[in-house]
Amino acid sequence: MPASPAFDLGGRVALVTGSSRGIGRSLADGLAAAGATVVLNGLGKARLDRTRAELAERHGSDRVHASPFDITDEEQVVTAVAGVEGDVGPIDVLVNNAGIQHRVPMLDLDVADWRRVIEHNLTSAFVVGRAVARRMVERRRGKIINIGSVQSDLARPTIAPYTAFKGGLRNLTRAMAAEWGGANIQANSVAPGYIHTEMTQNLVDDAVFNAWVVGRTPAGRWGSSADLVGPTVWLASAASDYVNGQTIFVDGGMTAVV
């Protein structure tokens, strides 16, 4: 149980997209540890079932659920959200975490790959966010947390679609706050720096890139998924009820220095 009741998520239902592994899994675990009932999401049913079983062992099977829907398919999203609310309870917290990467120089980038990254990452956050918000607006309460990146503000070569998506997500977060804030919905973004996960292991193993990250980050290290849990719990809780439309950089100081 959190030390302060303001951070207690007991009785709340949290849907976390892309949560069968990596950052999403850690966030779901952290939200459950703070008292929430969590609903995991992913397309790989076997991996999703394994993650659900592992988290249920820690937090109880009644507080960990799974919903394997395609976040890019609006019909599936609407059906899944209705199913979650009917079977588990009203969604109090949505974490839009799912995302893909594609590394190719812009001059060589296929338009199809550009569209795939934007559709899977940015459009899905809009589609899932709107489906959940329709119900939150009726209840006049809710928390939406979009997982951004240092690329919400910065750019690097070879990841143009991802950079455009993260920049767009920052302003989508503001749009959500502008349109739904009057219904007591807080929409904010957590923007991680370089986080060491299984999906970034190849970058950690690249000696040149690893040295650049460590040297560029005032904290002198890569972040971990655990570093993102506290800010996410805060944004999911009553402690952040007057915080809206903000992007919270959790990057070891990277975006604060030149």
Side-chain angles (χ1 to χ4, degrees):
M1 184 71 73
S4 167
F7 294 88
D8 180 13
L9 301 183
R12 301 197 185 200
V13 174
L15 169 62
V16 185
T17 67
S19 49
S20 61
R21 62 176 178 170
I23 289 173
R25 175 194 170 113
S26 293
L27 297 182
D29 191 17
L31 291 168
T37 295
V38 298
V39 180
L40 308 174
N41 160 262
L43 278 180
K45 189 177 184 305
R47 184 165 58 201
L48 192 63
D49 287 345
R50 284 196 303 271
T51 300
R52 178 186 179 181
E54 290 163 2
L55 295 190
E57 189 173 349
R58 281 205 290 278
H59 305 294
S61 59
D62 60 326
R63 290 185 43 231
V64 182
H65 304 265
S67 183
F69 62 89
D70 183 349
I71 59 173
T72 68
D73 185 321
E74 184 177 16
E75 185 175 344
Q76 282 193 42
V77 168
V78 171
T79 300
V81 168
V84 169
E85 296 226 337
D87 297 339
V88 183
I91 298 171
D92 302 289
V93 180
L94 168 64
V95 180
N96 276 316
N97 167 74
I100 59 173
Q101 178 62 284
H102 187 75
R103 293 183 173 87
V104 175
M106 268 200 289
L107 294 181
D108 302 320
L109 179 65
D110 287 340
V111 173
D113 288 323
W114 167 277
R115 289 176 175 154
R116 179 174 60 89
V117 172
I118 298 299
E119 179 76 8
H120 188 281
N121 295 349
L122 182 58
T123 304
S124 68
F126 159 69
V127 169
V128 179
R130 184 172 67 172
V132 173
R134 288 190 192 280
R135 295 163 179 270
M136 288 179 170
V137 166
E138 292 177 359
R139 295 188 289 264
R140 298 192 62 79
R141 71 178 191 277
K143 303 279 189 174
I144 298 175
I145 304 165
N146 297 320
I147 304 303
S149 166
V150 289
Q151 268 74 45
S152 298
D153 247 19
L154 306 176
R156 276 187 58 80
T158 76
I159 57 169
Y162 187 83
T163 301
F165 142 57
K166 291 298 188 181
L169 189 65
R170 184 173 193 178
N171 267 357
L172 176 62
T173 301
R174 289 167 168 156
M176 290 173 168
E179 295 209 14
W180 304 330
N184 190 32
I185 295 169
Q186 293 83 51
N188 294 287
S189 174
V190 171
Y194 283 87
I195 305 297
H196 186 177
T197 68
E198 61 183 279
M199 289 183 285
T200 59
Q201 185 61 52
N202 63 322
L203 298 177
V204 175
D205 292 339
D206 182 327
V208 174
F209 192 84
N210 181 67
W212 176 82
V213 169
V214 172
R216 179 69 177 77
T217 306
R221 65 172 177 88
W222 287 69
S224 70
S225 296
D227 291 319
L228 307 174
V229 170
T232 301
V233 169
W234 169 57
L235 291 176
S237 74
S240 62
D241 279 354
Y242 202 56
V243 180
N244 214 352
Q246 302 304 305
T247 293
I248 312 300
F249 286 89
V250 185
D251 62 1
M254 176 177 276
T255 53
V257 301
V258 295

